[in-house]
């Protein structure tokens, strides 16, 4: 890491560099998600210095671990820790970056470090499946928790009686912060920069990263509508395939073929799991994506129709009116009025 900038008095005596306004320590789980980590760090890096010089002046960040062994991410790239665990109170926040559910985790020494941090009242952040790790460590009792819609059912399977927030970008509940991972980690990092460094620095980071504007905690996650929850693995794979191919609008037979099952089997599983035909479920997914885009500025209804898999604007308006009781543009205006500050 580049050494902190130091000032010199007239007699050339160096004076200590000012303490960063935001100090963050990262714990990386085995097979962690590289993009979630990189997005978080880059927001800090870009906010820490003037221009794009990356000096850790206003923000500092360290990867910490029980030893110096590199940690392998889910994509195979390794990251080497910079510091041993030490005193958790030297950080303003400690961030756990999760990854693959079946393979990710932290060694016992790092779990003990997190518990010491909680005792010292250092806020803990779970990114991606980092929330799972915090829960397993017994550090989320009584707290609201955010996970990706993609991992909603996985969370329910592992933690009985705990219902996560899967329709928001991130959740801040006192000294626990959790987010769904991916791009949302940039928005959570920008939220912290806004608080400790300033709004201009947060906006600068996001703009350099080609992110139009910061998303607030209560902004919705893009993804599947939550009324399509199921534990049926075949149906979950089918829904994910639909969500990832909105603009191509694959037919039921094509989806079944991609999943290696017959059309009849897919239809039977969808009816039993959701009470819907595949076509009806796909329409729900497309409408959910249309609502998500309508809630964001800068998307014309024409563009939304194309991105959500509708034939044209007329098709979107007709279907939207049938299901929402209003037109897309009227829905957008009502949503904007509801979200406007009082």
């Amino acid at each position: 890491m580049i050494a902190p900038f130091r000032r010199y008095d007239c007699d050339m005596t160096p004076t200590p560099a000012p303490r960063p306004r935001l100090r963050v320590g990262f714990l990386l789980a085995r097979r962690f998600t590289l993009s979630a980590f990189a997005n978080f760090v880059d927001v800090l890096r870009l906010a820490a210095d003037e221009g794009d010089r990356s000096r850790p002046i206003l923000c500092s960040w360290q990867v910490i671990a029980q030893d110096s062994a590199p940690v392998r991410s889910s994509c195979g790239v390794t990251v080497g820790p910079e510091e041993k665990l030490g005193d958790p109170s030297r950080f303003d926040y400690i961030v756990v970056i999760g990854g693959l559910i079946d393979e990710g985790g932290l060694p016992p020494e790092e779990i003990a470090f997190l518990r010491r941090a909680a005792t010292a009242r250092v806020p803990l952040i779970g990114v991606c499946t980092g929330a799972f790790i915090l829960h397993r460590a017994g550090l989320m009792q009584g707290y609201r928790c955010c996970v990706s819609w993609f991992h909603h059912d996985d969370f329910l399977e592992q933690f009985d009686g705990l219902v996560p927030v899967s329709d928001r970008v991130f959740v801040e509940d006192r000294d626990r912060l959790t987010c769904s991972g991916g791009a949302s980690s940039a928005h959570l990092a920008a939220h912290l920069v806004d608080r400790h460094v300033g709004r201009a620095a947060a906006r600068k980071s996001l703009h350099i990263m080609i992110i139009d504007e910061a998303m607030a905690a209560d902004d919705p996650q893009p993804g599947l509508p939550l009324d399509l929850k199921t534990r049926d693995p075949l149906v979950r794979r089918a829904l994910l395939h639909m969500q990832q191919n909105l603009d191509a609008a694959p037919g039921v037979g094509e989806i079944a073929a991609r999943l290696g099952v017959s059309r009849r089997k897919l239809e039977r599983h969808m009816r039993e799991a959701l009470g819907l035909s595949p076509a009806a479920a796909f329409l729900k997914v497309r409408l959910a994506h249309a609502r998500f885009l309508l809630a964001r500025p800068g998307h014309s209804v024409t563009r939304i129709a194309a991105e959500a898999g509708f034939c044209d604007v007329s098709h979107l308006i007709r279907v939207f009116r049938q299901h929402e009781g209003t037109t897309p543009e009227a829905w957008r205006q009502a949503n904007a009025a509801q979200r406007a500050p009082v």
Side-chain angles (χ1 to χ4, degrees):
M1 177 175 291
I2 300 173
F5 174 74
R6 294 180 179 274
R7 295 184 294 104
Y8 287 83
D9 294 328
C10 296
D11 61 358
M12 298 303 291
T13 301
T15 59
R19 168 184 152 172
R21 300 179 193 173
L22 176 58
R23 303 166 300 166
V24 180
F26 289 93
L27 288 171
L28 306 180
R30 295 183 297 273
R31 307 301 299 276
F32 69 96
T33 305
L34 187 61
S35 62
F37 171 61
N39 281 327
F40 205 118
V41 169
D42 251 7
V43 170
L44 302 180
R45 176 184 72 86
L46 293 165
D49 194 5
E50 295 181 359
D52 189 19
R53 301 182 65 185
S54 302
R55 295 176 299 175
I57 299 173
L58 299 177
C59 307
S60 66
W61 54 94
Q62 285 82 37
V63 176
I64 57 177
Q66 62 165 332
D67 55 41
S68 58
V71 185
R72 185 174 296 277
S73 67
S74 59
C75 69
V77 174
T78 59
V79 174
E82 303 164 89
E83 297 181 2
K84 295 292 183 66
L85 298 174
D87 181 4
S89 63
R90 70 187 189 275
F91 298 110
D92 298 308
Y93 299 89
I94 295 171
V95 182
V96 179
I97 307 289
L100 298 185
I101 291 178
D102 296 334
E103 301 181 48
L106 295 175
E109 295 85 352
E110 294 176 12
I111 296 295
F113 172 82
L114 287 172
R115 290 175 177 147
R116 292 199 305 274
T119 300
R121 309 212 39 103
V122 178
L124 303 179
I125 299 177
V127 174
C128 191
T129 60
F132 287 62
I133 294 171
L134 293 177
H135 260 299
R136 291 193 203 103
L139 296 170
M140 292 297 295
Q141 287 92 341
Y143 289 92
R144 295 170 65 239
C145 174
C146 177
V147 301
S148 167
W149 61 266
F150 184 67
H151 292 304
H152 181 91
D153 290 341
D154 297 313
F155 190 95
L156 293 177
E157 290 174 2
Q158 294 194 26
F159 306 105
D160 286 339
L162 297 173
V163 179
V165 176
S166 299
D167 61 348
R168 295 293 180 265
V169 173
F170 63 87
V171 166
E172 180 174 16
D173 187 355
R174 293 161 288 163
D175 55 355
R176 298 290 187 276
L177 298 91
T178 48
C179 81
S180 52
S184 70
S185 64
H187 293 289
L188 176 52
H191 173 70
L192 301 182
V193 169
D194 186 338
R195 171 182 297 165
H196 293 273
V197 181
R199 180 158 299 179
R203 287 176 175 169
K204 182 193 82 169
S205 292
L206 295 178
H207 289 168
I208 293 175
M209 295 172 68
I210 321 298
I211 298 175
D212 288 342
E213 65 171 315
M215 295 180 71
D218 59 353
D219 280 337
Q221 292 181 27
L224 296 175
L226 289 182
D227 56 352
L228 295 183
K229 298 190 297 286
T230 176
R231 296 190 177 188
D232 186 314
L234 175 61
V235 176
R236 289 169 63 181
R237 288 169 56 209
L239 292 172
L240 181 60
H241 183 75
M242 294 173 184
Q243 198 267 341
Q244 293 176 335
N245 293 275
L246 287 173
D247 55 347
V252 178
E254 181 182 347
I255 295 173
R258 288 288 299 271
L259 299 177
V261 298
S262 67
R263 175 172 179 153
R264 180 172 297 181
K265 180 175 181 178
L266 177 59
E267 290 174 336
R268 184 178 72 253
H269 277 250
M270 296 286 279
R271 283 195 304 272
E272 292 174 353
L274 304 174
L276 298 170
S277 68
F282 197 11
L283 181 58
K284 277 185 171 287
V285 172
R286 289 153 61 198
L287 284 169
H289 190 62
R291 288 192 300 270
F292 169 77
L293 295 176
L294 285 167
R296 311 301 304 162
H299 291 80
S300 69
V301 176
T302 300
R303 176 181 170 186
I304 291 171
E307 291 191 12
F310 293 91
C311 299
D312 51 32
V313 176
S314 298
H315 185 209
L316 170 60
I317 293 174
R318 183 173 66 255
V319 174
F320 201 91
R321 191 193 297 273
Q322 290 173 351
H323 289 264
E324 300 293 337
T326 186
T327 65
E329 195 58 52
W331 187 94
R332 166 182 273 167
Q333 293 173 5
N335 182 72
Q338 183 179 6
R339 293 170 60 85
V342 178

